[in-house]
């Protein structure tokens, strides 16, 4: 039912805003502000030009005087003879100094600084204020003399600090006939009196500075502005005690280290403009108050119905659809109240229908039914299917009343349903004491396999808790067997138009059901396809190959143990907690000069666009973003102790389209016992092996992905043992996309490992020696295991030599066990005499590395080479490989750079001397990386990289990768 319109809401709103002059006020203030800026800029520019002109005129007069004085020393034969005697025969320096002092007295210019050098620029004597300087070299600027000698100029000017005084230098070439024989340097002091003669009017100040100190200025102890404020880098405006100042800075010609800084007071200039702005604000405020009074008068008629609408809306938000609004108004507010009442009635009916559907089907499917999108038929899509079947339920409920059996079953199934829905899955059906769940239909997510495994662990934990509870009361217990598989299936509505059932059908679903039937109590089984998607997040062990009814081929099966991070992060979290507590305890002491705590951060986001096949360490062929955020806390305790904590949030050490994880990447304490370059470090830190780990994630590394030897994966796997050499040689021809995702590289990315390290250097030599908890090719979960330090440590050594400022050489060595700590001791393919963990640790990886770096101007080149040897079970001789990387980077002045890196790996022949003597154990591979970057400013960087991979495999993969990264460094957060 419609109502006649009275005075509209829009008309009342317009009436309330008529008295508002806010736009006019804003425009007026903007005009005044713009005019203020223009006048200020013009005033500062004029004052600076006047100061520059005064400085140039005064300096010209001073230099003319020095030029005339130089003529006295260069004319005649007295000083040429003295200088030649001091240069080529037994010098009489005191006599030379007396003659110079006497000449200065004759000119009544004893304050001038005079110095003589030979033709090579070597200082002979230096006289200031009539006295000889103990060190004549202090008065001679080396750079200016070098330029004079190279150009053979007759004269030049420059600046020099002598005993904390700034001098304006005039250098004059001395000749005998046409032959030059030396130089005379004459200098006039730039002191406070000099600065006062060019001081700007109106109370301005002038400072002649070098670094962060004024050496001549017009400042006194009573001035508002201080020397530290004048020399602060980057300061162009200052507010001193409420008074504004403009700061200008000019470098002294030819010497960028010296600056002339001018401080210009702006208070008198800006005071009239400030009064105008104040008057405008007061006038505008008065006008706004008038408009506010009008608005309040009108709002009184609107407040009551609007308040009723707000309260009713809050009730609807809480799920109360019975609320009703009575509004006597005949304007738009009344119409809105009628519409609101109609809406709540519709919501109440829809909620009744929805509540009924939710009890029959999943909420996702119910939502589609409510939209009318459910029809008969299906579509092919990738889904992850989970089956969970209770073990021992029949035996446990034997002799129970039916009502008690149903109650117990409902209790277990409710917990299982909660686990599935918490991970975004859909419960498809209940079949007795079995539940079927779907991940990927009707709504798909990129990490559906991860969600399914997490849901399975939740179900297993819930059943285990129930079993412990019953066991504590002496009652029979139960378990659950779970099967998971990922693959294509037909998903859709099956049945008839009168009764529909949304489900999935297909071979992948049948495989999940077969896995469930074979799973032992509290065991989670999954196929190889699912394992590839989730292996980075869970502890998984092989369960062998199995045959299933209706499946013609044998399938590789894996068993899920637990969340990887739940187990592995405990040592690092403990270490990080200790470091944080250590830093927080020291925070109150930071007021002391010997203790300092610095916080900084690095935020970056990389976009990966892989080719048709995975680029090995990129486990996806779809475009995805891998953000990373790192927080660094550096604690300095005097000159002896230093601690670092790096907290990192990303998608794991291996870039992947997965969920986020949070960890303490680094947490260590460093002790420096003496003033010598010798340090002892303990905790979790970046691997000391090789050259690249020390510079990754810094401006010294212009690439996005690491060098080739640090991430290429071979066919040799640390958690799978070939039963014979023939099987191992066949692995390289297996499905490479799987083998490369499971296998081990020469060096596994950039390991952050637990251990202790002694490092330092003397002169041009540097060294690192460490005991760490894993070898470079170990799995990532070995990086955080404390017990590896005592049971299976690895030893690393590194030696570096700086041959020249541009050229460096280095060598590294590593030796330690490389087989996975998760390798089952009962593995059938493992040698009988080496199935214990002690014997398993005797299979060692040994790497020799050599690195070199050369830098010249804007060109930077680097090279690394590794010789790798691994003892391998069931293989008579160690398996070896040779890998290397070469890179060159060219940096430009504007902040841009270009780089190229070439890497390759060559594999030795396996089993020399037997049947397989001429067959390498993997195919050689080459990689080219090309990068271009632009440094936006000191903290922001944009980079693009194109990576091409090629192998000698008969059917090589097109494993290329395009990457784009934006990085932002936040320095000095606290």
């Amino acid at each position: 039912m419609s109502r006649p319109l009275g005075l509209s809401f829009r008309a009342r709103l317009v009436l309330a805003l008529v008295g508002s002059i806010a736009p006019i006020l804003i425009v007026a203030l903007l005009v005044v502000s713009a005019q203020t800026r223009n006048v200020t800029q013009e005033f500062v520019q004029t004052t600076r030009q006047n100061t520059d002109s005064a400085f140039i005129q005064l300096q010209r007069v001073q230099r003319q005087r020095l030029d005339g004085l130089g003529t006295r020393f260069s004319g005649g034969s007295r000083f040429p003879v003295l200088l030649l005697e001091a240069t080529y025969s037994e010098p009489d320096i005191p006599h030379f100094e007396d003659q110079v002092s006497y000449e200065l007295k004759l000119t009544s210019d004893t304050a001038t600084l005079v110095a003589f050098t030979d033709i090579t620029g070597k200082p002979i004597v230096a006289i200031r204020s009539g006295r000889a300087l103990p060190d004549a070299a202090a008065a001679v600027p080396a750079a200016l003399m070098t330029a004079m000698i190279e150009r053979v100029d007759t004269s030049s000017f420059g600046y020099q600090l002598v005993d904390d005084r700034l001098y304006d230098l005039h250098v004059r070439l001395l000749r005998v006939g046409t032959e030059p024989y030396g130089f005379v340097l004459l200098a006039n002091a730039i002191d406070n009196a000099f600065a006062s003669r060019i001081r700007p009017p109106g109370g301005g100040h002038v400072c002649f500075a070098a670094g962060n100190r004024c050496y001549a200025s017009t400042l006194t102890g009573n001035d508002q502005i201080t020397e530290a404020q004048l020399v602060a880098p980057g300061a162009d405006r200052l507010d001193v005690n409420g008074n504004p100042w403009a700061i200008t800075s000019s470098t002294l010609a030819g010497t960028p280290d010296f600056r002339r800084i001018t401080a210009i007071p702006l208070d008198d200039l800006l005071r009239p403009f400030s009064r105008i702005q104040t008057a405008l604000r007061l006038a505008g405020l008065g006008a706004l108050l008038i408009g506010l009074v009008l608005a309040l008068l009108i709002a009184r008629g609107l407040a009551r119905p609007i308040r009723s609408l707000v309260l009713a809306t809050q009730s609807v938000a809480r799920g109360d659809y019975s609320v009703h609004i009575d509004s006597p108004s005949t304007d738009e507010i009344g119409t809105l109240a009628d519409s609101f009442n109609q809406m709540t009635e519709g919501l109440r009916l829809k909620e009744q229908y929805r509540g009924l559907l939710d009890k029959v089907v999943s909420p996702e499917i119910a939502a589609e039914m409510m939209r009318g999108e459910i029809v008969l038929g299906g579509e092919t899509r990738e889904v992850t299917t989970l089956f969970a079947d209770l073990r021992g339920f029949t035996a446990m409920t034997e002799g129970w009343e039916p009502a008690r059996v149903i109650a117990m079953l409902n209790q277990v199934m409710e917990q299982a349903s909660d686990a599935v829905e918490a991970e975004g899955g859909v419960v498809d059906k209940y079949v007795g004491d079995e539940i079927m769940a779907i991940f990927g239909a009707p709504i798909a997510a990129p990490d559906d396999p991860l969600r399914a495994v997490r849901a399975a662990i939740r179900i297993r934990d819930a059943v285990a808790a129930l079993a412990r509870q019953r066991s504590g009361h002496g009652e029979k217990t139960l378990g659950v067997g779970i099967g998971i598989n990922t693959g294509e299936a037909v998903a859709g509505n099956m049945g008839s138009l009168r009764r529909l059932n949304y489900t999935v059908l297909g071979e992948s679903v049948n495989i999940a059901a077969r896995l469930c039937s074979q799973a032992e109590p509290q065991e989670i089984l999954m196929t190889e396809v699912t394992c590839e998607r989730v292996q980075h997040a869970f502890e998984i062990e092989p369960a062998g190959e199995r045959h299933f009814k209706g499946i013609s081929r044998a399938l590789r099966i894996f068993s899920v143990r637990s969340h990887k991070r739940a187990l592995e992060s405990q040592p690092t979290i403990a270490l990080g907690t200790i470091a944080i507590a250590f830093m927080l305890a020291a925070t109150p002491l930071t007021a002391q000069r010997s203790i300092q705590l610095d916080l900084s951060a690095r935020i970056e986001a990389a976009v990966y666009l892989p080719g048709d096949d995975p680029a090995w360490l990129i486990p996806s062929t779809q475009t995805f973003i891998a953000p990373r955020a790192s927080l660094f806390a550096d604690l300095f305790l005097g000159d002896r102790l230093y601690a670092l904590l790096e907290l990192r949030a990303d998608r794991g050490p291996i870039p992947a389209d997965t969920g986020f994880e949070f960890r303490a990447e680094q947490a260590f304490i460093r002790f420096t016992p003496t003033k010598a370059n010798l340090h002892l470090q303990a905790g979790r830190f970046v691997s000391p092996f090789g050259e690249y780990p020390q510079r990754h994630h810094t401006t010294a590394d212009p690439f996005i992905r690491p060098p080739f030897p640090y991430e290429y994966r071979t066919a040799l796997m640390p958690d799978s043992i070939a039963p014979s050499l023939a099987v191992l040689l066949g692995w390289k021809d297996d499905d490479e996309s799987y083998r490369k995702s499971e296998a081990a590289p020469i060096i596994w990315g950039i390991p952050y490992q637990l251990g202790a390290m002694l490092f330092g250097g003397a002169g041009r030599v540097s060294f690192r020696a460490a005991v760490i908890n894993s070898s470079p090719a170990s799995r990532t979960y070995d990086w955080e295991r404390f017990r590896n330090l005592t049971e299976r440590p690895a030893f690393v050594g590194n030696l570096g030599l700086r041959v020249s400022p541009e050229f460096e050489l280095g060598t590294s060595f590593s030796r330690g066990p490389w087989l996975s700590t998760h390798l089952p001791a009962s593995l059938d393919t493992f040698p009988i005499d080496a199935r214990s963990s002690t014997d398993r640790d005797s299979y060692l990886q040994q790497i020799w590395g050599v690195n070199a770096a050369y830098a010249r101007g804007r060109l930077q080149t680097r090279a690394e080479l590794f010789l790798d040897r691994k003892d391998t079970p069931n293989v008579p001789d160690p398996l070896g490989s040779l890998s290397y990387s070469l890179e060159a980077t060219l940096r430009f002045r504007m902040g841009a750079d270009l780089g190229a890196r070439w890497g390759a790996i060559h594999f030795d022949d396996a089993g020399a001397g037997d049947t397989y003597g001429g067959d390498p154990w993997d195919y050689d591979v080459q990689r080219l990386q090309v990068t271009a970057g632009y440094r936006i400013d000191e903290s922001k960087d944009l980079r693009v990289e194109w990576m091409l991979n090629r192998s000698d495999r008969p059917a090589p993969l097109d494993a290329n990768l395009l990457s784009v990264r934006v990085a932002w460094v936040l320095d000095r957060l606290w």
Side-chain angles (χ1 to χ4, degrees):
M1 179 180 178
S2 62
R3 299 189 179 191
L5 292 177
L7 185 60
S8 68
F9 177 79
R10 179 179 300 176
R12 297 186 183 186
L13 182 60
V14 171
L15 180 62
L17 295 178
V18 166
S20 175
I21 62 168
I24 300 176
L25 174 63
I26 293 174
V27 171
L29 289 174
L30 290 177
V31 170
V32 173
S33 298
Q35 186 64 21
T36 303
R37 287 193 299 270
N38 294 337
V39 172
T40 303
Q41 292 174 359
E42 183 178 352
F43 175 74
V44 172
Q45 183 72 13
T46 302
T47 304
R48 178 174 180 172
Q49 291 175 354
N50 293 338
T51 305
D52 290 345
S53 178
F55 172 72
I56 293 172
Q57 292 176 6
L58 180 59
Q59 190 179 54
R60 183 183 298 116
V61 172
Q62 298 282 16
R63 289 185 172 181
Q64 288 175 352
R65 184 182 59 80
L66 293 178
D67 189 55
L69 183 61
T71 304
R72 297 179 64 89
F73 286 105
S74 61
S77 61
R78 181 158 51 104
F79 287 100
V81 170
L82 290 173
L83 183 57
L84 288 173
E85 288 179 352
T87 304
Y88 299 106
S89 62
E90 188 68 27
D92 188 357
I93 301 300
H95 177 66
F96 197 165
E97 293 172 344
D98 291 341
Q99 292 298 315
V100 175
S101 299
Y102 178 74
E103 189 69 23
L104 290 174
K105 289 180 181 179
L106 292 178
T107 62
S108 301
D109 201 352
T110 56
T112 302
L113 172 66
V114 181
F116 286 85
T117 75
D118 62 15
I119 195 60
T120 66
K122 177 183 177 181
I124 304 299
V125 298
I127 304 296
R128 184 181 65 183
S129 301
R131 295 183 180 181
L133 292 177
D135 182 12
V140 180
L144 183 61
M145 295 306 302
T146 301
M148 286 286 295
I149 295 169
E150 290 179 350
R151 299 194 302 265
V152 195
D153 285 346
T154 57
S155 65
S156 183
F157 292 92
Y159 299 88
Q160 177 75 345
L161 284 174
V162 181
D163 293 340
D164 286 342
R165 296 183 67 183
L166 180 62
Y167 284 87
D168 182 7
L169 292 176
H170 173 49
V171 184
R172 190 185 186 107
L173 178 66
L174 301 178
R175 298 179 184 269
V176 175
T178 60
E179 292 296 322
Y181 65 89
F183 299 91
V184 60
L185 292 88
L186 302 104
N188 179 68
I190 297 180
D191 52 14
N192 293 345
F194 185 97
S196 298
R197 296 178 67 179
I198 64 171
R199 180 177 182 177
H205 290 284
V206 174
C207 162
F208 290 88
N212 58 355
R213 178 180 173 185
C214 281
Y215 289 90
S217 71
T218 58
L219 294 172
T220 64
N222 298 324
D223 290 314
Q224 293 180 343
I225 198 167
T226 64
E227 176 182 316
Q229 292 172 323
L230 279 182
V231 299
D236 59 354
R237 289 295 179 93
L238 290 177
D239 192 313
V240 181
N241 297 330
N243 299 322
W245 291 74
I247 308 297
T248 66
S249 177
S250 304
T251 58
L252 299 183
T255 52
D257 294 336
F258 299 99
R259 298 173 293 154
R260 187 183 77 255
I261 302 171
T262 305
I264 306 170
L266 302 176
D267 187 46
D268 293 339
L269 176 70
L270 297 179
R271 189 176 292 112
F273 293 96
S274 178
R275 291 173 179 172
I276 294 174
Q277 290 179 338
T278 301
L280 282 175
R281 292 190 184 97
L282 291 175
L285 181 60
L288 289 175
L289 288 175
I290 295 174
L292 179 61
V293 171
L294 293 176
L296 290 175
L297 293 175
I298 298 174
R300 293 184 59 184
L302 300 176
R304 184 174 300 174
I306 291 177
R307 188 179 301 113
S308 299
L309 279 171
V310 170
L311 294 176
T313 304
Q314 293 174 348
S315 298
V316 172
R318 293 192 296 267
D320 181 9
Y321 301 122
S322 62
V323 62
H324 183 82
I325 298 178
D326 294 322
S327 177
S329 177
T330 60
D331 57 10
E332 284 89 343
I333 296 296
T335 304
L336 177 61
D338 291 341
S339 300
F340 183 86
N341 293 333
Q342 295 173 9
M343 178 195 70
T344 55
E345 179 64 18
L347 288 174
R348 186 181 63 81
L349 294 175
K350 187 175 181 179
E351 186 65 19
Q352 289 179 351
Y353 300 148
R354 180 64 177 268
L356 180 61
L357 282 174
D358 283 346
K359 296 179 181 179
V360 179
V361 298
S362 70
E364 291 82 1
I365 299 173
E368 293 195 10
M369 287 182 173
M370 294 295 293
R371 291 194 298 266
E373 299 177 3
I374 296 293
V375 295
L376 283 176
E379 59 177 335
T380 301
R381 60 195 305 171
E382 184 182 80
V383 298
T384 300
T385 312
L386 179 150
F387 284 87
D389 185 42
L390 296 179
R391 303 287 193 260
F393 183 78
T394 302
M396 183 185 70
T397 59
E398 183 180 1
W400 287 15
E401 296 180 356
R404 185 182 178 189
V405 174
I406 294 298
M408 174 59 71
L409 185 60
N410 288 341
Q411 177 185 353
V412 177
M413 291 304 171
E414 183 176 1
Q415 293 179 342
S417 300
D418 291 342
V420 171
E421 293 173 359
E423 296 296 340
V426 172
V427 176
D428 181 270
K429 61 175 63 70
Y430 303 99
V431 182
D433 57 3
E434 182 180 66
I435 185 174
M436 173 183 171
I438 310 168
F439 294 82
I443 300 174
D447 58 345
D448 282 323
L450 278 172
R451 295 170 181 267
V453 177
R454 288 199 297 260
I457 294 177
R458 286 172 179 260
I459 294 173
R460 184 179 63 184
D461 294 344
V463 174
L466 179 61
R468 288 193 299 270
Q469 180 182 357
R470 294 186 58 81
S471 177
H473 293 84
E475 300 173 340
K476 293 182 180 180
T477 62
L478 75 165
V480 63
I482 303 174
I484 304 174
N485 184 38
T486 302
E488 289 189 347
V490 177
N493 302 291
M494 314 300 171
S496 67
L497 292 176
R498 291 187 301 273
R499 182 177 179 82
L500 299 176
N501 181 27
Y502 188 90
T503 186
V504 292
L505 299 174
E507 182 183 275
S508 65
V509 181
N510 296 336
I511 291 174
R514 302 287 192 277
L515 288 174
C516 177
S517 63
Q518 291 195 11
E520 298 295 330
Q522 301 305 102
E523 185 178 32
I524 302 173
L525 296 181
M526 63 182 174
T527 58
E528 182 178 346
V529 178
T530 306
C531 178
E532 289 181 10
R533 308 284 188 88
V534 303
Q535 60 182 346
H536 63 281
F538 301 96
E539 289 193 355
I540 298 170
E541 61 182 24
E545 294 187 349
R546 301 188 188 184
H547 290 273
F548 297 94
K549 181 180 179 181
I551 307 299
S552 60
R553 65 189 184 281
L555 300 178
R556 287 170 57 90
I557 306 304
F558 298 84
S559 176
V560 180
R561 296 179 60 185
S562 63
H563 289 280
K564 182 179 292 185
R565 288 298 159 191
L567 178 63
E568 295 168 13
S569 295
Q570 292 176 2
T572 302
I573 290 176
L575 202 62
T577 302
I578 295 174
I580 291 174
F582 181 57
M583 293 179 178
L584 291 178
T587 300
L589 304 176
T590 54
Q592 303 179 17
R593 292 185 177 181
S594 60
I595 299 179
Q596 179 180 343
L597 177 62
D598 295 334
L599 294 180
S600 59
R602 176 185 172 92
I603 302 173
E604 65 179 55
V607 181
Y608 293 98
L609 300 92
D612 294 336
D613 295 300
W616 285 287
L617 273 189
I618 305 297
S620 173
T621 57
Q622 302 295 326
T623 299
F624 65 92
I625 300 177
R628 174 186 292 129
S630 298
L631 176 65
F632 302 90
D634 299 86
L635 180 63
F636 302 87
L637 292 94
D639 299 329
R640 296 289 186 265
L641 282 177
Y642 165 73
L644 170 66
L645 175 64
E646 177 187 356
L647 303 178
R648 182 174 294 182
D650 57 17
R651 288 182 164 178
I654 303 172
D657 190 10
T658 59
F660 279 89
E661 63 180 53
F662 179 80
R663 64 186 181 277
E665 194 75 286
Q666 296 190 82
F668 63 80
I669 297 176
R670 180 184 300 163
F671 174 60
T672 303
T674 65
K675 293 185 178 180
N677 185 13
L678 183 66
H679 316 273
L680 179 62
Q681 181 170 298
R684 188 171 193 251
F685 46 85
V686 68
S687 173
F689 179 79
E691 184 268 343
Y692 176 75
Q694 316 309 314
R695 62 183 175 96
H696 85 291
H697 281 175
T698 67
T699 55
D701 176 31
F703 295 86
I704 298 178
R705 303 300 304 142
F708 196 40
Y710 287 85
E711 70 169 13
Y712 175 74
R713 302 193 182 194
T714 69
L716 196 61
M717 292 177 282
D719 52 8
S720 183
I721 303 301
S724 65
L725 178 59
V727 173
L728 174 63
L729 294 177
W731 278 355
K732 64 182 179 181
D733 295 312
D734 201 347
D735 179 7
E736 190 158 354
S737 64
Y738 165 69
R739 289 299 173 191
K740 298 310 180 199
S741 66
E742 287 294 307
I746 307 304
I747 303 173
W748 191 283
I750 307 300
Y752 288 84
Q753 299 158 309
L754 291 166
M757 177 172 63
L758 182 69
F759 67 99
R764 297 183 176 183
V765 178
S766 61
F767 73 92
R768 296 191 296 269
V771 179
I772 54 180
N773 63 343
S774 59
S775 66
S778 298
R779 287 293 201 196
T780 55
Y781 42 67
D782 284 331
W783 300 351
E784 302 188 10
R785 295 181 175 272
F786 278 119
R787 68 170 182 268
N788 287 5
L789 283 171
T790 57
E791 296 180 3
R792 43 188 293 133
F795 301 92
V796 177
N798 184 284
L799 187 64
L801 174 64
R802 181 177 289 275
V803 181
S804 68
E806 299 87 6
F807 186 47
E808 296 181 19
L809 288 174
T811 181
S812 297
F813 173 75
S814 174
R815 179 181 175 86
W818 68 278
L819 289 177
S820 172
T821 56
H822 293 275
L823 191 65
S826 60
L827 189 65
D828 294 339
T829 57
F830 212 69
I832 297 176
D833 59 346
R835 291 187 178 177
S836 71
S837 60
T838 303
D839 293 334
R840 185 161 64 248
D841 292 346
S842 64
Y843 291 90
L844 303 176
Q845 178 189 30
Q846 180 173 293
I847 311 178
W848 282 98
V850 179
N851 60 273
Y854 180 78
R856 183 87 176 177
R858 298 187 182 92
L859 180 64
Q860 173 80 52
T861 59
R862 297 180 185 273
E864 278 195 277
L865 182 144
F866 297 102
L867 183 63
D868 177 45
R869 291 289 182 273
K870 290 191 186 75
D871 298 327
T872 307
N874 303 319
V875 176
D877 299 316
L879 298 178
S881 63
L882 175 69
S883 60
Y884 60 86
S885 67
L886 306 169
E887 71 176 62
T889 305
L890 184 61
R891 302 183 185 272
F892 301 95
R893 288 184 181 273
M894 55 202 169
D897 63 76
L898 293 175
R901 177 188 284 157
W902 172 261
I905 183 168
H906 304 281
F907 298 92
D908 293 350
D909 296 339
D914 59 18
T915 307
Y916 309 99
D919 194 1
W921 60 276
D922 207 338
Y923 291 108
D924 294 351
V925 186
Q926 303 85 38
R927 172 180 292 177
L928 174 64
Q929 296 171 252
V930 180
T931 183
Y934 178 69
R935 195 167 186 81
I936 302 172
D937 56 31
E938 291 299 323
S939 62
K940 302 178 188 65
D941 178 81
L942 174 64
R943 184 156 303 281
V944 180
E945 179 180 297
W946 176 243
M947 185 173 73
L948 301 92
N949 296 276
R950 292 294 181 267
S951 71
D952 294 343
R953 199 169 189 259
L957 297 176
D958 180 20
N960 303 328
L961 179 68
L962 177 63
S963 309
V964 181
R965 186 187 69 194
V966 178
W968 183 21
V969 177
L970 304 174
D971 196 14
R972 292 281 186 180
L973 295 178
W974 185 73

